[in-house]
Amino acid sequence: MAKQVTKGHCYLCGSIIAKSGFRKHLSSKHSFVGKNAQECVLLRVEDTDTKAYWLYLDMPLTSRLKTLDNFLREIWLECCGHESTFFLSEGHEVEKSTELGVLPIGVTLAYEYDSGCTTDLQITVLSTSFRRRQNVAVRVLGRNVPLNFICGTCGEEAKYICCECNAMEQPPFFCSKCIEKHEHDCILPVVNSPRMGVCNYRGESDKYAFLGNANGHR
Ligand SMILES: [Zn+2]
Ligand SMILES: [Zn+2]
Ligand SMILES: [Zn+2]
Ligand SMILES: [Zn+2]
């Protein structure tokens, strides 16, 4: 898939921001000062391959990698309960019981979901930060705007991806009309995830789409 420069929504104020400027946006517009603050790590998660899918998250220092693993499965990955692993560097696995607060600032972890048809992510610990205390461990601060894919047959917006065409390096994307006449059976929906078109991934547990400024994100 071609590399794309992507923009994302700030879930705190609704602005659309380039990925490269996102961290600066957070520090200049959304630094939290106040009582009862919760100390967090600021994380950037992106797909290793294209880096077109990305998330900015904060999580309390006392949260564990297991919680991040569960969240990544929910928003981006879960198809049939595959294994997942965090690595500190080549071959050095990090336990899921590890607290985020012990990871050095600036470190990038590699993360693998499914050792067969693997989705590779990288997770960078950007800094510590503060937020208003809240019960949900993982807060979404930013997420790439859904990428546009075009039907290879008619040029309309694509809604489906054909795994067989994809494997054969044929144009894999189809609109709702053209997919009905398509000869192959392994059809998956276009979704805002780096696991799109892989295994049986349909994005059903992703409840984190940006719904606009007034949908209660804080
Ligand atoms: Zn903002
Ligand atoms: Zn699967
Ligand atoms: Zn079409
Ligand atoms: Zn096909």
Side-chain angles (χ1 to χ4, degrees):
M1 226 169 281
K3 289 208 191 309
Q4 301 194 42
V5 177
T6 58
K7 295 186 170 184
H9 283 108
C10 173
Y11 278 49
L12 302 180
C13 72
S15 304
I16 293 182
I17 316 271
K19 184 186 182 188
S20 56
F22 205 86
R23 189 178 171 188
K24 189 161 174 241
H25 174 79
L26 288 176
S27 60
S28 65
K29 302 283 189 212
H30 302 298
S31 282
F32 179 74
V33 271
K35 280 186 187 155
N36 205 16
Q38 195 170 29
E39 194 170 9
C40 291
V41 284
L42 176 64
L43 303 174
R44 182 179 59 228
V45 186
E46 55 205 337
D47 71 298
T48 308
D49 185 23
T50 69
K51 301 195 168 55
Y53 298 95
W54 51 270
L55 303 165
Y56 278 80
L57 311 170
D58 64 14
M59 293 178 71
L61 298 184
T62 51
S63 291
R64 296 173 192 275
L65 287 178
K66 180 69 194 158
T67 304
L68 179 58
D69 179 47
N70 289 340
F71 169 80
L72 292 172
R73 287 168 181 267
E74 191 173 34
I75 191 169
W76 265 1
L77 301 169
E78 189 67 271
C79 47
C80 19
H82 300 281
E83 293 284 313
S84 62
T85 315
F86 292 89
F87 296 97
L88 195 51
S89 59
E90 191 81 35
H92 288 81
E93 195 177 330
V94 193
E95 295 287 324
K96 289 193 177 118
S97 58
T98 304
E99 288 191 6
L100 287 158
V102 308
L103 298 171
I105 300 300
V107 79
T108 298
L109 302 180
Y111 171 94
E112 248 183 43
Y113 176 78
D114 180 3
S115 54
C117 296
T118 308
T119 300
D120 287 296
L121 306 179
Q122 59 185 50
I123 299 153
T124 304
V125 182
L126 296 170
S127 62
T128 52
S129 63
F130 292 92
R131 71 181 185 190
R132 196 184 307 277
R133 187 163 295 279
Q134 49 190 270
N135 293 327
V136 177
V138 185
R139 182 172 69 152
V140 180
L141 303 168
R143 181 182 191 175
N144 66 281
V145 171
L147 311 182
N148 283 319
F149 298 97
I150 301 299
C151 174
T153 309
C154 75
E156 293 290 306
E157 185 190 356
K159 296 279 187 206
Y160 297 95
I161 179 166
C162 170
C163 314
E164 286 167 79
C165 288
N166 204 19
M168 294 186 293
E169 303 197 357
Q170 307 282 330
F173 292 105
F174 296 91
C175 71
S176 313
K177 264 194 182 147
C178 296
I179 200 69
E180 287 177 18
K181 294 169 242 151
H182 190 59
E183 55 187 340
H184 296 142
D185 294 326
C186 178
I187 307 299
L188 291 169
V190 166
V191 286
N192 189 10
S193 154
R195 199 160 173 80
M196 175 176 66
V198 179
C199 195
N200 192 32
Y201 184 70
R202 294 168 186 278
E204 283 150 335
S205 62
D206 173 15
K207 57 183 185 197
Y208 299 96
F210 185 75
L211 302 173
N213 215 349
N215 62 349
H217 292 290
R218 288 187 302 144

